Amino acid sequence: MNNENEFLNWGDSFVAQENEFVVLPEGEYKFTVTGFERKNYDGNSDKIPNGTPYAELSLEFTGNEGKTTVTERLYLLKRLSWKLTEFFGSIGQNPVNGQAFNPNWNTVLGSSGKAELVVNSYKNKDGQDRQNNRVKKFLKPENVQQTQPVQQAVPTQAQQTQQPQQPQQTNSWNGAF
């Protein structure tokens, strides 16, 4: 349970703290997924159709200046599968380009990865200039190399009789998570 939403009573004390909002300089940072919610888009956009399922992620980044949390949405649209591929590759699930991939959504919360952050400048609803961080690109871990499947040689007749046939497995992602 998130105790940050716990009510305070009028006579209760509380722990004093300042707003610790930090904007990190542009660059590459490690992150941890600290929040994950499954949602359906219900907004007013020409780019995202209403009803589109998406994952809303809270990503915690740490730099020399402190910690910041970036909210990222992963829309489950075929035309945005490149972003899903980037994200799942960054957390070590390693989708192979050009092949079906079935993400393990149950391991997303608590996962770690690396991303390139940029500084986003905007005006708030009061017209004041503000800045925050945005993910520009999710990065693959340095120690993981993307490999294509190795084609096996056609077995001889003697090998075919000695080795039982394995049922062929296919991974397909039907958009459900």
Side-chain angles (χ1 to χ4, degrees):
M1 183 173 151
N2 184 355
N3 63 359
E4 291 179 5
N5 288 326
E6 186 177 325
F7 296 139
L8 297 173
N9 290 313
W10 291 108
D12 288 351
S13 63
F14 60 91
V15 176
Q17 60 186 25
E18 293 183 20
N19 184 358
E20 297 179 18
F21 182 75
V22 173
V23 176
L24 297 175
E26 294 187 357
E28 295 179 1
Y29 295 89
K30 292 181 180 179
F31 67 85
T32 300
V33 180
T34 58
F36 168 50
E37 291 185 61
R38 299 168 194 238
K39 296 185 172 186
N40 289 311
Y41 182 76
D42 184 23
N44 187 15
S45 172
D46 294 334
K47 297 179 182 179
I48 307 296
N50 278 341
T52 300
Y54 69 94
E56 186 170 276
L57 305 174
S58 296
L59 308 174
E60 184 177 89
F61 292 86
T62 303
N64 293 334
E65 298 77 7
K67 291 182 181 181
T68 192
T69 299
V70 174
T71 300
E72 184 70 25
R73 290 181 174 185
L74 298 177
Y75 292 98
L76 302 182
L77 290 170
K78 285 184 180 183
R79 68 180 166 84
L80 296 176
S81 61
W82 64 268
K83 190 170 185 180
L84 294 165
T85 301
E86 271 187 7
F87 172 74
F88 283 102
S90 76
I91 64 170
Q93 289 196 26
N94 304 322
V96 176
N97 193 34
Q99 293 188 5
F101 174 71
N102 191 7
N104 186 349
W105 291 98
N106 294 326
T107 63
V108 169
L109 189 61
S111 293
S112 295
K114 194 172 185 181
E116 183 179 347
L117 287 182
V118 294
V119 175
N120 177 53
S121 297
Y122 65 98
K123 290 195 182 292
N124 69 5
K125 64 182 178 182
D126 298 326
Q128 298 171 327
D129 290 328
R130 297 283 190 234
Q131 289 185 326
N132 63 8
N133 287 116
R134 293 278 183 236
V135 173
K136 179 178 181 181
K137 180 178 180 66
F138 290 103
L139 305 171
K140 292 179 191 172
E142 287 91 21
N143 60 353
V144 175
Q145 294 181 351
Q146 195 81 2
T147 59
Q148 293 296 325
V150 177
Q151 297 243 343
Q152 296 180 352
V154 178
T156 64
Q157 183 67 25
Q159 289 173 324
Q160 286 179 351
T161 58
Q162 294 173 355
Q163 297 178 349
Q165 292 291 328
Q166 296 292 323
Q168 195 172 23
Q169 293 182 351
T170 58
N171 290 333
S172 64
W173 178 48
N174 63 7
F177 64 172

